Amino acid sequence: MHVRLVSVFGILMVLFGSLSLEAKPKKKSEKLASKSAKIHQTIVLSIDGFPAYYWSDPKYRSYFPHLAELFQKYGVSEITTVNPSVTYPAHTSMVTGKDPAVHGIFNNTLSDPFEKNDGGWMWYTEDILVPTLWDLAKENHKTTANVFWPVTVGAGINWNLPQYWRKKIPEDDKLLRVLSTKDLHREAELAVGFPLNDVSKDEVKLNTAAWLFQKKKPDLMFVYTTDLDTNHHGFGPGSDKALFRLVELDQVIFSFLQSVGAFTPKGPAIVIVSDHGFHSADSVCAPNVILKQKGYIQDEAGTYQLTFKSSGGTAILLPGTNTNVSIEEINSIVSEVLTACPGSEWVPIATSENLAEMTNLSTESEENPILQKKIHPMALGIFRTKGPLFFSGTRKGDVFTKSQTKIHGHGYWNTNPEMKTIGFVYDPTGKKHQFQSVKDVFGIVKDMLGLKEKKTNGPHMPPLHTKP
């Protein structure tokens, strides 16, 4: 697969090998001074869709030589993501330290069987139910900045350039100018020289982040890149196109780290993290077809009693409003899906005979099933797979089909090896941090910035309006 790229990468390795992210070797006194210095700035950089097997399998390391050098020198962890293993829940877990059932961002998109929201994503910070790192930073009188981090529309971030789109056309730029910190979007575009929107390449986002860091000097900055994930979805993990893009991104990230003074005596602390790995499927299971056949979804009336919300490698069963179904009904649906879709596995919430009572349990209840405590508070159960199977949310066609082309995605159970991802920390004080889950980003950043949490008795209510 990679033969025709060898010569290109060989040349790149020679060129890149002459560069270094490190400053000149420090004297002993300088090292002691830097270790005792208080950390004033921290950057969290997300590389969407970076599978851990790119690091664990040495054959891939030549495609990201600069990152590989950092990982080799300072250490990198293979970390676990959350369920569902998709972008918005995972990124919200990074900034809250909580699972999706607790922080409220259950999926990339709403459970919206009839697409009344026109495919809208969970862009809005007011949907996050618990405090975030930017909330904590504000309480501790620290300034914050953001370039396209998910679920940041309306966030209390000092200099906020949130991710948002509707049609992915230039009209979206007007939306971003309104949703960003006043005048910041236009100022950033003029400074960088390119439009900043959801179709911008990662070079633009990282150049914008470098400008923002140098211009505003935030204590905490979030930066989110998407091109690796996009190429994995389009061409597959390990594909020539995805790996060639990874080589380019590695160089761009290297330039970004240089521009912010990373790994120098007065440089920022750095967290590099990803949200999930990647897997490929060759067949599709559409359990909502069975729900429609059984009358639980009524297209004509636009109502439903049950629906499966797909995440790719999983599909969670959710009730409609005031739904009361029995274990026998659920078991009948599950049996049909298991028969139709080889490789699927059902994980029930419990063996209770009264599912209506189970769905009304508080997410904080000790009796609450693990699916409702971690994934979704209204979960009735979830389908998952370890095989090359993709769960679709469609209500049309057959329950099970063989795909003509590979479907490259994620959303698979977070213990599946393919969903493992990477977490890297550089703390200028030399302190080591435990990094086992995407949720650990919260604690690591909190520790490095010395942020203190205020104890609250009631639920977190993000402000409707915030000023930079």
Side-chain angles (χ1 to χ4, degrees), residues 18 85 123-124 171 192 200 243 255 275 304 343 367 389 391 429:
S18 63
S85 55
W123 291 298
Y124 310 104
E171 283 293 298
V192 175
S200 299
L243 292 174
S255 298
D275 49 358
Y304 68 96
E367 302 88 23
L389 182 66
F391 291 99
T429 68

Side-chain angles (χ1 to χ4, degrees), residues 289-315:
V289 172
I290 289 176
L291 292 185
K292 182 178 177 182
Q293 291 172 350
K294 286 179 168 288
Y296 292 105
I297 298 176
Q298 303 87 31
D299 280 345
E300 296 78 10
T303 59
Y304 68 96
Q305 285 71 55
L306 296 170
T307 186
F308 282 101
K309 175 62 177 172
S310 172
S311 299
T314 53

Side-chain angles (χ1 to χ4, degrees), residues 80-85 279 311-316 345 347-348 370-371 374-375 381-386 391 410-420:
T80 303
T81 186
V82 294
N83 285 315
S85 55
H279 189 44
S311 299
T314 53
I316 190 168
E345 176 188 354
V347 182
I370 192 168
L371 295 185
K374 290 186 176 251
I375 301 177
I382 191 169
F383 277 109
R384 65 183 182 185
T385 182
K386 293 181 181 178
F391 291 99
H410 41 93
Y412 294 83
W413 203 252
N414 66 353
T415 56
N416 285 19
E418 298 88 354
M419 292 301 102
K420 292 275 190 177

Side-chain angles (χ1 to χ4, degrees), residues 285 287 290 308 333-341 344 383 391 399:
C285 179
I290 289 176
F308 282 101
I333 295 165
V334 169
S335 178
E336 286 195 40
V337 176
L338 290 174
T339 300
C341 300
S344 60
F383 277 109
F391 291 99
V399 180

Side-chain angles (χ1 to χ4, degrees), residues 215-426:
K215 178 78 173 177
K216 308 299 183 182
K217 297 179 172 55
D219 296 303
L220 174 61
M221 185 168 76
F222 303 93
V223 187
Y224 171 61
T225 65
T226 59
D227 285 359
L228 186 62
D229 179 81
T230 299
N231 278 270
H232 282 159
H233 278 295
F235 308 106
S239 65
D240 286 353
K241 288 191 176 182
L243 292 174
F244 187 81
R245 186 61 181 137
L246 180 56
V247 171
E248 295 175 327
L249 289 174
D250 181 73
Q251 173 62 30
V252 178
I253 291 169
F254 163 76
S255 298
F256 167 73
L257 293 172
Q258 278 193 317
S259 69
V260 298
F263 311 103
T264 62
K266 295 184 179 180
I270 302 291
V271 176
I272 300 175
V273 66
S274 186
D275 49 358
H276 53 71
F278 256 85
H279 189 44
S280 297
D282 56 21
S283 54
V284 179
C285 179
N288 277 333
V289 172
I290 289 176
L291 292 185
K292 182 178 177 182
Q293 291 172 350
K294 286 179 168 288
Y296 292 105
I297 298 176
Q298 303 87 31
D299 280 345
E300 296 78 10
T303 59
Y304 68 96
Q305 285 71 55
L306 296 170
T307 186
F308 282 101
K309 175 62 177 172
S310 172
S311 299
T314 53
I316 190 168
L317 182 62
L318 298 171
T321 305
N322 299 320
T323 295
N324 189 354
V325 293
S326 68
I327 282 285
E328 289 73 24
E329 290 177 273
I330 296 293
N331 286 343
S332 175
I333 295 165
V334 169
S335 178
E336 286 195 40
V337 176
L338 290 174
T339 300
C341 300
S344 60
E345 176 188 354
W346 175 248
V347 182
I349 57 163
T351 57
S352 169
E353 293 183 3
N354 191 335
L355 286 177
E357 290 181 9
M358 296 300 290
T359 58
N360 289 327
L361 284 174
S362 164
T363 57
E364 298 301 319
S365 170
E366 287 300 318
E367 302 88 23
N368 204 15
I370 192 168
L371 295 185
Q372 292 184 333
K373 289 174 100 173
K374 290 186 176 251
I375 301 177
H376 198 297
M378 299 300 290
L380 300 179
I382 191 169
F383 277 109
R384 65 183 182 185
T385 182
K386 293 181 181 178
L389 182 66
F390 179 89
F391 291 99
S392 169
T394 186
R395 304 182 298 279
K396 300 176 182 179
D398 297 326
V399 180
F400 179 82
T401 55
K402 283 286 187 180
S403 178
Q404 294 182 349
T405 58
K406 289 275 190 180
I407 303 170
H408 310 293
H410 41 93
Y412 294 83
W413 203 252
N414 66 353
T415 56
N416 285 19
E418 298 88 354
M419 292 301 102
K420 292 275 190 177
T421 186
I422 53 105
F424 168 87
V425 185
Y426 170 75

